Amino acid sequence: MSAGNFTAEIKREILRDGFENTCCKTAALSAFLRATGSIIRSGSLVGFEFVTENEEIAEYMVGLLEDIYGAELNVVQAVQDARNGKNRLAFRCLSERSLFILSELGIAERAGEEIALSFDIDKYLTENECCKRAYIKGAFLGSGSCSVPKEENARSGYHLEIVFSSGTVAAAYLGLLEHFDVLAKNVSRKGTSVVYLKSRESISDFLDLIGAKNSLQKLDKLAWKKDERNNINRVANCMQKNFDRTAIASVRQVCAIERIAAADGLGELDPVLRETAEARLMDKEASLKELSERLHISKSCLNHRLRRLEKIARSYPEEE
């Protein structure tokens, strides 16, 4: 499963569940704009833009802004992304109310003649537990992505991330996740701050936190398949190693017996060792288990006899 497909499934599930309360919708909007929006100015007006390639998310967020704040948004750009062929949609809100909306979302406000930007999460937006979850979901809708191992490539790893333009917001977002015992990390990348999770367990915790039950089940199923493949590969590798060791031991034993035969002949051996040597030469590829059964002795007894034969062979001087 590609990263894009799994990410889209998680986001569809978030949208399908929606946000019940106005406080949660506000928290989700704020987080969404933090993750994918930017402040714009035109003369005395201060507003914002956001960019997304997901039409469902665009429609949902525009609907929230219109329903809660009566905002008017315009599509200012629709460009096809050369990497994946999808349209990237840019929406703009620039009006007499846009600064008020930014203030309500804890992002910016007027301070005298200046505009003061906030680079932290407004604590009042995430005062309730439900709003904390909503904020976490809103940010993932904005710039989140999640990749999981492909079924045909067990080596590919797990990765979930949310990208922020501000390290302060990213650090506060880490704090929200930690509040729910989801331990993430933060790294700078090309002028952005990325919050990320790298293990199946932590990503499972994240999906459970945001209520993405179907995506969580799919992740668990993929993880089970990957673990099953890894177990099969480990068993196969172990069997191959055992076979290699058996083959090497067999070659060593045969060489020792042939050396004895060339030097003194097997007739000079005591009957027990001669019987063992002849049995090994008759079937050079037989396992110890097969040989011991033919000779009606235990594997440990057979091993002891073969080691004696190898010791006898080593007693002969090396050939020039």
mmCIF file of all heavy atoms in Angstrom, residues 27 61 106 117 126 149 221 229 235 258 294 307:
data_model
loop_
_atom_site.group_PDB
_atom_site.id
_atom_site.type_symbol
_atom_site.label_atom_id
_atom_site.label_comp_id
_atom_site.label_asym_id
_atom_site.label_seq_id
_atom_site.Cartn_x
_atom_site.Cartn_y
_atom_site.Cartn_z
ATOM 1 N N ALA A 27 -10.747 24.193 17.174
ATOM 2 C CA ALA A 27 -9.400 23.662 17.419
ATOM 3 C C ALA A 27 -8.857 23.007 16.156
ATOM 4 O O ALA A 27 -7.680 23.190 15.803
ATOM 5 C CB ALA A 27 -9.442 22.654 18.563
ATOM 6 N N MET A 61 -13.156 22.054 5.188
ATOM 7 C CA MET A 61 -12.618 23.190 5.931
ATOM 8 C C MET A 61 -13.257 24.511 5.497
ATOM 9 O O MET A 61 -13.525 25.389 6.324
ATOM 10 C CB MET A 61 -11.097 23.252 5.766
ATOM 11 C CG MET A 61 -10.362 22.125 6.471
ATOM 12 S SD MET A 61 -10.688 22.159 8.256
ATOM 13 C CE MET A 61 -9.900 20.625 8.773
ATOM 14 N N GLY A 106 -6.485 31.866 17.412
ATOM 15 C CA GLY A 106 -5.254 31.954 18.196
ATOM 16 C C GLY A 106 -4.001 32.051 17.361
ATOM 17 O O GLY A 106 -2.921 31.645 17.808
ATOM 18 N N LEU A 117 1.749 38.029 15.688
ATOM 19 C CA LEU A 117 1.555 36.619 15.363
ATOM 20 C C LEU A 117 1.865 35.760 16.578
ATOM 21 O O LEU A 117 2.796 36.039 17.325
ATOM 22 C CB LEU A 117 2.460 36.199 14.201
ATOM 23 C CG LEU A 117 2.294 36.962 12.885
ATOM 24 C CD1 LEU A 117 3.277 36.437 11.843
ATOM 25 C CD2 LEU A 117 0.864 36.829 12.375
ATOM 26 N N THR A 126 -7.377 24.287 23.284
ATOM 27 C CA THR A 126 -7.165 22.870 23.608
ATOM 28 C C THR A 126 -7.384 22.620 25.102
ATOM 29 O O THR A 126 -6.742 21.772 25.702
ATOM 30 C CB THR A 126 -5.741 22.440 23.206
ATOM 31 O OG1 THR A 126 -4.783 23.305 23.838
ATOM 32 C CG2 THR A 126 -5.560 22.501 21.705
ATOM 33 N N PRO A 149 4.657 -0.498 5.504
ATOM 34 C CA PRO A 149 5.369 -1.428 4.620
ATOM 35 C C PRO A 149 4.486 -1.952 3.502
ATOM 36 O O PRO A 149 3.323 -2.281 3.714
ATOM 37 C CB PRO A 149 5.767 -2.571 5.570
ATOM 38 C CG PRO A 149 5.729 -1.970 6.918
ATOM 39 C CD PRO A 149 4.664 -0.938 6.895
ATOM 40 N N LYS A 221 -3.303 -5.528 10.286
ATOM 41 C CA LYS A 221 -3.311 -6.640 9.336
ATOM 42 C C LYS A 221 -2.024 -6.671 8.522
ATOM 43 O O LYS A 221 -1.410 -7.725 8.327
ATOM 44 C CB LYS A 221 -4.517 -6.512 8.404
ATOM 45 C CG LYS A 221 -4.675 -7.678 7.434
ATOM 46 C CD LYS A 221 -5.932 -7.519 6.595
ATOM 47 C CE LYS A 221 -6.071 -8.681 5.605
ATOM 48 N NZ LYS A 221 -7.292 -8.526 4.774
ATOM 49 N N ARG A 229 5.817 -12.987 7.254
ATOM 50 C CA ARG A 229 6.850 -13.143 6.222
ATOM 51 C C ARG A 229 8.240 -13.186 6.856
ATOM 52 O O ARG A 229 9.090 -13.986 6.459
ATOM 53 C CB ARG A 229 6.782 -11.995 5.209
ATOM 54 C CG ARG A 229 5.632 -12.085 4.231
ATOM 55 C CD ARG A 229 5.849 -11.117 3.076
ATOM 56 N NE ARG A 229 6.007 -9.755 3.538
ATOM 57 C CZ ARG A 229 4.994 -8.926 3.742
ATOM 58 N NH1 ARG A 229 3.763 -9.339 3.563
ATOM 59 N NH2 ARG A 229 5.206 -7.691 4.148
ATOM 60 N N VAL A 235 13.018 -18.720 9.445
ATOM 61 C CA VAL A 235 13.055 -20.182 9.473
ATOM 62 C C VAL A 235 13.809 -20.714 8.261
ATOM 63 O O VAL A 235 14.650 -21.613 8.367
ATOM 64 C CB VAL A 235 11.621 -20.765 9.502
ATOM 65 C CG1 VAL A 235 11.653 -22.275 9.296
ATOM 66 C CG2 VAL A 235 10.953 -20.426 10.831
ATOM 67 N N GLU A 258 38.659 -40.658 2.833
ATOM 68 C CA GLU A 258 39.384 -40.953 1.588
ATOM 69 C C GLU A 258 40.891 -40.857 1.806
ATOM 70 O O GLU A 258 41.673 -41.596 1.196
ATOM 71 C CB GLU A 258 38.927 -39.985 0.491
ATOM 72 C CG GLU A 258 37.514 -40.287 -0.004
ATOM 73 C CD GLU A 258 37.045 -39.296 -1.052
ATOM 74 O OE1 GLU A 258 37.624 -38.184 -1.136
ATOM 75 O OE2 GLU A 258 36.086 -39.617 -1.782
ATOM 76 N N ARG A 294 20.743 -45.968 9.810
ATOM 77 C CA ARG A 294 21.218 -47.118 9.036
ATOM 78 C C ARG A 294 22.174 -47.987 9.849
ATOM 79 O O ARG A 294 22.187 -49.213 9.713
ATOM 80 C CB ARG A 294 21.929 -46.637 7.768
ATOM 81 C CG ARG A 294 21.001 -46.023 6.738
ATOM 82 C CD ARG A 294 21.772 -45.433 5.590
ATOM 83 N NE ARG A 294 20.914 -44.552 4.788
ATOM 84 C CZ ARG A 294 21.371 -43.742 3.851
ATOM 85 N NH1 ARG A 294 22.671 -43.683 3.610
ATOM 86 N NH2 ARG A 294 20.533 -42.984 3.172
ATOM 87 N N ARG A 307 34.393 -38.133 14.353
ATOM 88 C CA ARG A 307 35.495 -37.301 14.875
ATOM 89 C C ARG A 307 36.770 -38.136 15.029
ATOM 90 O O ARG A 307 37.872 -37.646 14.791
ATOM 91 C CB ARG A 307 35.081 -36.663 16.203
ATOM 92 C CG ARG A 307 34.131 -35.473 16.049
ATOM 93 C CD ARG A 307 34.076 -34.635 17.315
ATOM 94 N NE ARG A 307 33.521 -35.389 18.435
ATOM 95 C CZ ARG A 307 32.217 -35.427 18.736
ATOM 96 N NH1 ARG A 307 31.344 -34.764 17.964
ATOM 97 N NH2 ARG A 307 31.786 -36.117 19.770
#
